[in-house]
Amino acid sequence: MQRILVTGALGQIGTELVPALRDRYGSDRVVASDIRVPHAHGLSASDAFEHVDCTHIREIEHAVRRHEVGTIYHMAALLSAVAEDRPRVAWEVNMGGLYRVLEVARLHGCAVFLPSSIGAFGPGTPRVGTPQDTIQRPSTMYGVTKVSSELLCDYYHARFGLDTRGLRLPGLVSYVAPPGGGTTDWAVEIFHQALRHRNYTCFLRGDTRLDMMYMPDAIRAMMELMEAEPGKLVHRNAFNVAAMSFTPEDLAAEIRKHIPDFDIDYEVDPVRQAIADSWPESMDDAAARHEWGWKAEYDLPGMTADMLEKLGRRAGSAS
Ligand code: AKB
């Protein structure tokens, strides 16, 4: 039986991807891995877990051999703001990690999923309705690693026939695990602060419009892409996927429909503002819709209502 290995399983995406994969394919078929320890992150002791530092090829190979892995969801990476602060580490983790994952995948015949990002675009890219195939000249180290990762995955597909597939994910909103180190983290923090303090100080300008998505849609997109008929895929690394596009002012107004006395103010961080200003407001995801039937389910009102309900419930059960 071939298994699925998830790297970076304790991060914002991995924390929700692992249970979703286990629900769909069976608990015994999914191995979580991370450089961090699982007990602090709520995984049960019976769930398969491997310590994997993706900058060490032997650790990846050990997990792949031991669990007879056939597919790797490679989520381990530094996000945009941290990568800008530590560009050398970002290159080593984002590119070095991917290179080693691809080499192990080549030797063991594994399929590979890689999350790219709106960060793979830059100031020269059309910001509205960003096409699938367009200018990609990002101005951040994160973006440089994302474009290079897309190219490297396409290369391994063309050169070695590896089944590599990827998505250009928008900023992700989720309630299970915090993002940590991204430019779109404000869109998660705002919900926690709204529920706790009725106030949020945002590090981006109020009119900064970015492409965003609710985590359940993102998780479904990853699994649907990996299940798609290979013959139908014209693109591989990586597909634009879109759901909604909003500013901090828009989200604050939507939250106010549920929490009328919620207030937002702004203390702009110039580094993260510059990163956000270089990213798409809204991507055109026609290729994903045509090639494998992608369709988002959550819009801004639906996501906001669900986030507040789920976070409110969690706070209630914790008290
Ligand atoms: C980040 O803000 O760095 C990420 C992303 C959009 O790739 N959430």
Side-chain angles (χ1 to χ4, degrees), residues 117-243:
S117 157
I118 49 172
F121 298 111
T125 307
R127 290 198 75 211
V128 180
T130 305
Q132 173 67 39
D133 301 307
T134 185
I135 300 162
Q136 289 186 268
R137 306 285 292 177
S139 49
T140 62
M141 177 50 100
Y142 180 66
V144 169
T145 65
K146 287 297 174 190
V147 177
S148 309
S149 298
E150 290 184 8
L151 292 171
L152 196 59
C153 287
D154 270 346
Y155 175 80
Y156 269 73
H157 173 65
R159 177 78 170 76
F160 304 115
L162 223 68
D163 186 359
T164 58
R165 308 181 189 192
L167 298 175
R168 291 186 189 126
L169 292 169
L172 295 179
V173 178
S174 65
Y175 58 88
V176 180
T183 302
T184 57
D185 294 11
W186 71 270
V188 177
E189 293 167 4
I190 191 172
F191 284 99
H192 292 271
Q193 297 302 318
L195 284 165
R196 259 186 232 137
H197 306 298
R198 304 285 191 264
N199 177 269
Y200 177 60
T201 303
C202 185
F203 57 76
L204 293 185
R205 271 195 331 266
D207 62 353
T208 311
R209 181 170 297 283
L210 286 172
D211 218 332
M212 303 293 295
M213 183 177 283
Y214 196 29
M215 188 63 88
D217 271 338
I219 299 290
R220 188 171 51 78
M222 292 175 215
M223 297 196 297
E224 284 179 6
L225 173 60
M226 291 310 279
E227 286 179 1
E229 256 312 305
K232 292 197 176 143
L233 300 182
V234 179
H235 297 85
R236 277 179 168 268
N237 302 284
F239 284 93
N240 289 359
V241 279

Side-chain angles (χ1 to χ4, degrees), residues 4-220:
I4 297 168
L5 176 69
V6 180
T7 70
L10 302 178
Q12 185 196 13
I13 301 177
T15 303
E16 296 194 47
L17 177 62
V18 168
L21 290 168
R22 287 185 171 148
D23 276 357
R24 193 166 182 90
Y25 303 113
S27 290
D28 53 340
R29 286 204 51 205
V30 182
V31 182
S33 74
D34 204 287
I35 196 170
R36 292 166 285 182
V37 280
H39 54 262
H41 290 79
L43 276 180
S44 109
S46 61
D47 296 329
F49 182 88
E50 288 286 338
H51 177 277
V52 174
D53 175 347
C54 290
T55 62
H56 293 150
I57 197 161
R58 290 224 174 99
E59 294 190 15
I60 307 166
E61 187 152 33
H62 171 78
V64 165
R65 270 184 202 279
R66 179 167 180 213
H67 298 281
E68 294 171 34
V69 168
T71 301
I72 304 174
Y73 282 74
H74 179 46
M75 315 311 294
L78 263 57
L79 292 182
S80 56
V82 176
E84 220 34 42
D85 196 41
R86 305 172 68 195
R88 190 186 61 77
V89 181
W91 180 264
E92 182 50 28
V93 174
N94 293 12
M95 290 313 299
L98 174 65
Y99 174 66
R100 290 170 180 92
V101 163
L102 288 170
E103 272 301 290
V104 172
R106 181 175 70 80
L107 295 170
H108 295 271
C110 308
V112 176
F113 171 83
L114 182 87
S116 186
S117 157
I118 49 172
F121 298 111
T125 307
R127 290 198 75 211
V128 180
T130 305
Q132 173 67 39
D133 301 307
T134 185
I135 300 162
Q136 289 186 268
R137 306 285 292 177
S139 49
T140 62
M141 177 50 100
Y142 180 66
V144 169
T145 65
K146 287 297 174 190
V147 177
S148 309
S149 298
E150 290 184 8
L151 292 171
L152 196 59
C153 287
D154 270 346
Y155 175 80
Y156 269 73
H157 173 65
R159 177 78 170 76
F160 304 115
L162 223 68
D163 186 359
T164 58
R165 308 181 189 192
L167 298 175
R168 291 186 189 126
L169 292 169
L172 295 179
V173 178
S174 65
Y175 58 88
V176 180
T183 302
T184 57
D185 294 11
W186 71 270
V188 177
E189 293 167 4
I190 191 172
F191 284 99
H192 292 271
Q193 297 302 318
L195 284 165
R196 259 186 232 137
H197 306 298
R198 304 285 191 264
N199 177 269
Y200 177 60
T201 303
C202 185
F203 57 76
L204 293 185
R205 271 195 331 266
D207 62 353
T208 311
R209 181 170 297 283
L210 286 172
D211 218 332
M212 303 293 295
M213 183 177 283
Y214 196 29
M215 188 63 88
D217 271 338
I219 299 290
R220 188 171 51 78

Side-chain angles (χ1 to χ4, degrees), residues 289-304:
R289 283 187 274 117
H290 293 148
E291 292 176 38
W292 49 278
W294 160 246
K295 193 172 182 314
E297 280 174 8
Y298 284 91
D299 59 8
L300 178 58
M303 175 195 77
T304 305

